[in-house]
Amino acid sequence: MDTTFRKIRNEYFSLVIIFFTAMLSVFAQNKSINFETISWNEVVQKATKENKPIFVDAYATWCGPCKWMANEVFTNDDVADFYNNNFINVKMDMEKGEGKTLAKEWKVQVYPTLIYFSSEGKFIHRVCGTAEPVEFIEIAKQAINPKENLAALIDEYSNGNRDSKFVSDYLIKMADAYFDVKEQTTEYFATQKEEDLYSEHNWILIEKTVNDIHSKEFIFLEKNLKNFMENRKLMIS
């Protein structure tokens, strides 16, 4: 009798252990960024109260890359832990409700646009397009670094830094974030001699920003297309 009871008991506890192990495994694989479903003003109030910066996933329902980020990146354990610990997070459909107004205010042109704000709701950083989990965490770290985020670069440019390398890097990052820097780019290239255009950062800037076929930069690119393609291969490799 005792032997039968012990056997049943042991089998029961074994099943319980297997069940809870399976449940823990399921929960461990289901981490995700916790997104708020409140108004923008309420988000800022919450962020101010908790002294946390804000991350906004500015998306559209039809956007394939947005869905990929939601399914493959926002559900990554490391991403979820980092963003939940360091940010107040918001998903916002920029074509509905409050999102339509904010899309104009924030000058959102492409999806996804990943935007970062201070705890007071002031812009600090943004990037456009998808990012793998490790890169997405690095973007967040850059966003909360007051020396590296776009807000810091904008301030430095506004305060008169016109070092060639700084300005070209600044314009590249602004262009990547889909800010209109046509005027600043024209001003910058007006300071560059033809021999300056061979620098790596100027190659990249020309590729990303120049579309006026009559500009000296476009003509230079056209004349040196072979060298440009070879340089791009070296830069990518």
Side-chain angles (χ1 to χ4, degrees), residues 165 167-176 181 185 188-189 196-211 217 220-221 227-229 231-236:
K165 180 64 166 60
V167 174
S168 61
D169 287 346
Y170 161 73
L171 293 173
I172 289 167
K173 290 177 181 177
M174 290 289 283
D176 283 342
V181 288
T185 302
Y188 167 74
F189 278 126
D196 298 327
L197 300 179
Y198 285 96
S199 66
E200 180 178 324
H201 56 273
N202 276 340
W203 275 119
I204 298 172
L205 184 59
I206 290 171
E207 178 191 11
K208 288 181 177 293
T209 64
V210 174
N211 51 27
E217 295 78 35
F220 169 81
L221 175 62
N227 289 336
F228 174 78
M229 297 303 294
N231 280 353
R232 286 302 287 134
K233 288 179 182 178
L234 290 174
M235 283 184 261
I236 292 171

Side-chain angles (χ1 to χ4, degrees), residues 55-60 66 90-94 106 108 110-115:
F55 163 64
V56 178
D57 170 34
Y59 76 98
C66 301
V90 186
K91 278 182 74 70
M92 190 170 293
D93 185 343
M94 306 311 287
W106 297 339
V108 175
V110 298
Y111 302 108
T113 296
L114 311 171
I115 318 176

Side-chain angles (χ1 to χ4, degrees), residues 103-213:
K104 293 179 181 178
E105 181 180 334
W106 297 339
K107 298 179 173 61
V108 175
Q109 301 181 53
V110 298
Y111 302 108
T113 296
L114 311 171
I115 318 176
Y116 300 81
F117 297 88
S118 70
S119 58
E120 295 82 24
K122 295 181 180 179
F123 169 82
I124 54 175
H125 197 64
R126 90 177 190 185
V127 296
C128 298
T130 60
E132 295 286 346
V134 172
E135 181 187 4
F136 188 48
I137 292 173
E138 288 304 312
I139 290 169
K141 290 178 179 178
Q142 185 179 46
I144 57 181
N145 186 326
K147 294 182 179 180
E148 294 185 2
N149 59 33
L150 270 182
L153 298 181
I154 291 170
D155 285 344
E156 189 170 349
Y157 182 83
S158 299
N159 289 331
N161 187 342
R162 292 299 182 269
D163 174 77
S164 177
K165 180 64 166 60
F166 164 76
V167 174
S168 61
D169 287 346
Y170 161 73
L171 293 173
I172 289 167
K173 290 177 181 177
M174 290 289 283
D176 283 342
Y178 277 77
F179 283 113
D180 182 4
V181 288
K182 183 177 180 180
E183 183 178 339
Q184 295 96 316
T185 302
T186 300
E187 290 175 359
Y188 167 74
F189 278 126
T191 69
Q192 300 294 289
K193 299 176 182 178
E194 182 168 313
E195 56 264 30
D196 298 327
L197 300 179
Y198 285 96
S199 66
E200 180 178 324
H201 56 273
N202 276 340
W203 275 119
I204 298 172
L205 184 59
I206 290 171
E207 178 191 11
K208 288 181 177 293
T209 64
V210 174
N211 51 27
D212 179 359
I213 62 174

Side-chain angles (χ1 to χ4, degrees), residues 34-51:
N34 297 325
F35 288 104
E36 301 291 339
T37 56
I38 52 182
S39 71
W40 176 244
N41 285 337
E42 290 172 319
V43 167
V44 175
Q45 290 173 10
K46 183 178 176 67
T48 302
K49 184 178 180 179
E50 297 186 19
N51 193 29

